[in-house]
Amino acid sequence: MIGEIIAIGDELISGRTENTTSAFAARHLFAAGHEIYAMHTIGDNTALIGEVLKRALKRVDFILVTGGLGSTTDDLTNEAVAEALDRSPILYPKILKRIREHLDGNQQASNLEKMAWLPEGAEILNEKAKMAGYLLVHDSVPIFFLPGVPYQMRELLLEHVLPKLAGWSSNHHRVKQRIYKTFGLPETVINKRLLELEQQDSIHIGYYPVNCEVHVSLTVLEENRQAAEEKFIAADRIITRELGDALYGTDQDTLASVVGELLISRHKILTVAESCTGGMIGKKITEVAGSSSWFAGGVIAYSNHLKELLVNVDHELLKNYGAVSEQVAMAMAARLSEKTGSNVSVSVTGIAGPGGGSEEKPVGTVYIGLFHNNRIKVRQYHFSGNRSQIRTITTCTALDTIRRALLTD
């Protein structure tokens, strides 16, 4: 089905709060086989809410609205919907009862009663939940209204909206989709390699730079399940072949999670010695559930003193070659592995800027060392961008260095 997402809230359009709910919804709707026609972020404005909603009703199969369902005076979604769709507000006793049951000592029922007045025809998504959220079918188009609070919105989307849409879409075309995640290939190169595939009927290819990666989406739209499956399998083979070893995973995979799977399958343990990234590699790794089974830990040795104290880098190496050097990167990886007993150890040392560079070692100079299979390899990089960008691409490159090395085992 084709849908539209509308996020409502003055806090979103002012930049005070990041709109994470729309991105979350789009990812999961896409994974469920739906296509998003448009995404809007608008303020708490009754006329604008009605205008955007009525426009969406004319062009999509379903609509997802988030925000503006609360009890304060600037929560105007229900009021706007009732007016725009000519549906009188009705008091829902079950909601009012639930509100009263969950009152704390600092709240009054009269202040929260607003949340129990919904447009006529509203169907509560979860009558037992403490959160707002309902479905309204207008002109045969399902409109889902979810709270703007991220964790509440996510729960209702996953447990109620997606299952309902699955039933609604039974008479629509069959869609097969996948996200391919790459590192190390420019978007333009990927585009050129997949250009011929793009020309095929019922196949859509999308390209999405995400920080230091490029993600490629494949969507196959056919009238029946078998045709969609056959075309998807053929397209998948082509994409996998063309992306080569730059392709590290699909869908929910991350560089860190893929590294973890490789380490587990090879019965190896990883440690990291970080300087210029200041713990970013360790952060990416520990975001993966279960990483304790393959990641022993890391050291942030930012100063020369701590490089000597914690990673056992020789004072003479630092004195003769400097902290940002091939020799120090080698020592950081090797000595940490020796000290911890890990099978694999990666090190990073570099100049992230904006200051600290020189003619010999300009900003963006980074050395990444890897101890693996009792051998040490170091590579020098010259990254560009601001401080944040240099640190991010260094983190990604370090993880990809580990991935590629483990693939050769």
Side-chain angles (χ1 to χ4, degrees):
M1 297 175 70
I2 298 174
E4 201 154 328
I5 299 173
I6 305 170
I8 299 170
D10 287 344
E11 72 279 9
L12 301 179
I13 62 171
S14 67
R16 297 194 305 272
T17 301
E18 184 179 359
N19 179 12
T20 59
T21 56
S22 292
F24 181 88
R27 283 197 304 274
H28 285 272
L29 288 165
F30 177 88
H34 304 291
E35 180 182 343
I36 301 304
Y37 178 83
M39 293 168 61
H40 310 276
T41 304
I42 60 177
D44 294 298
N45 181 302
T46 304
L48 182 58
I49 293 170
E51 176 189 330
V52 173
L53 183 60
K54 287 193 287 187
R55 189 165 62 236
L57 280 165
K58 297 177 182 178
R59 61 192 184 193
V60 295
D61 303 316
F62 72 92
I63 302 169
L64 183 72
V65 181
T66 64
L69 303 182
S71 61
T72 59
T73 54
D74 62 347
D75 288 312
L76 303 173
T77 299
N78 292 337
E79 177 185 332
V81 172
E83 183 178 329
L85 304 185
D86 195 22
R87 289 173 177 263
S88 302
I90 293 178
L91 179 65
Y92 281 67
K94 287 185 178 181
I95 299 179
L96 184 59
K97 180 182 177 182
R98 191 173 73 237
I99 289 172
R100 287 172 174 164
E101 288 174 349
H102 294 101
L103 283 176
D104 61 37
N106 298 319
Q107 294 174 306
Q108 294 183 355
S110 58
N111 295 336
L112 298 174
E113 185 178 308
K114 175 181 178 179
M115 298 171 65
W117 286 86
L118 303 181
E120 183 181 6
E123 174 191 333
I124 308 306
L125 290 174
N126 185 354
E127 292 187 354
K128 296 181 180 179
K130 299 179 183 180
M131 63 196 78
Y134 62 92
L135 164 66
L136 189 65
V137 181
H138 189 81
D139 292 342
S140 300
V141 176
I143 313 171
F144 297 92
F145 294 89
L146 306 184
V149 180
Y151 79 89
Q152 295 179 348
M153 172 268 176
R154 291 168 185 167
E155 181 180 325
L156 289 176
L157 177 81
L158 297 177
E159 296 182 8
H160 298 277
V161 176
L162 292 180
K164 286 183 179 296
L165 282 177
W168 234 291
S169 62
S170 59
N171 295 323
H172 285 71
H173 286 76
R174 295 301 174 185
V175 179
K176 289 281 291 183
Q177 297 176 314
R178 178 166 291 168
I179 299 291
Y180 300 83
K181 297 184 175 181
T182 73
F183 179 78
L185 271 184
E187 182 183 2
T188 52
V189 173
I190 295 174
N191 181 218
K192 185 176 180 181
R193 292 185 182 185
L194 301 180
L195 203 55
E196 188 174 331
L197 182 61
E198 283 187 37
Q199 312 308 315
Q200 295 187 26
D201 292 338
S202 68
I203 286 181
H204 176 73
I205 306 290
Y207 306 91
Y208 311 97
V210 181
N211 295 321
C212 50
E213 303 177 10
V214 177
H215 296 178
V216 179
S217 68
L218 165 66
T219 304
V220 176
L221 181 68
E222 284 287 356
E223 292 186 1
N224 64 76
R225 190 180 301 276
Q226 183 177 347
E229 187 70 30
E230 290 174 355
K231 183 155 284 189
F232 176 82
I233 291 172
D236 177 71
R237 288 199 191 103
I238 294 171
I239 293 174
T240 301
R241 182 189 70 227
E242 293 298 330
L243 296 181
D245 60 6
L247 174 64
Y248 75 79
T250 59
D251 297 330
Q252 302 304 313
D253 290 334
T254 65
L255 269 171
S257 70
V258 170
V259 165
E261 290 169 3
L262 290 169
L263 287 163
I264 290 172
S265 67
R266 289 153 176 77
H267 307 289
K268 294 186 175 182
I269 298 295
L270 171 69
T271 53
V272 300
E274 301 186 60
S275 183
C276 63
T277 48
M280 291 174 67
I281 301 173
K283 179 178 182 294
K284 288 290 184 184
I285 289 170
T286 53
E287 285 174 350
V288 180
S291 55
S292 59
S293 64
W294 48 270
F295 178 56
V299 173
I300 304 173
Y302 206 66
S303 69
N304 286 356
H305 174 63
L306 285 190
K307 286 181 176 68
E308 294 181 43
L309 183 66
L310 299 181
V311 200
N312 295 344
V313 176
D314 293 336
H315 177 77
E316 291 302 311
L317 281 180
L318 291 162
K319 180 180 177 181
N320 294 333
Y321 300 102
V324 181
S325 64
E326 176 183 347
Q327 292 79 4
V328 168
M330 290 177 63
M332 288 172 68
R335 300 288 168 75
L336 184 61
S337 178
E338 179 184 332
K339 192 169 186 175
T340 61
S342 62
N343 314 95
V344 184
S345 184
V346 69
S347 65
V348 294
T349 179
I351 305 168
S358 65
E359 187 174 341
E360 181 185 358
K361 297 177 183 179
V363 169
T365 301
V366 173
Y367 290 89
I368 297 179
L370 181 69
F371 178 85
H372 172 239
N373 288 340
N374 294 315
R375 291 181 296 177
I376 302 176
K377 293 182 179 180
V378 178
R379 182 171 174 182
Q380 182 187 48
Y381 294 88
H382 294 285
F383 297 129
S384 60
N386 59 33
R387 183 178 180 82
S388 176
Q389 291 168 331
I390 290 170
R391 281 157 45 90
T392 298
I393 195 168
T394 299
T395 299
C396 293
T397 304
L399 289 168
D400 194 58
T401 297
I402 303 166
R403 177 185 74 91
R404 291 174 183 267
L406 291 170
L407 286 173
T408 63
D409 281 354

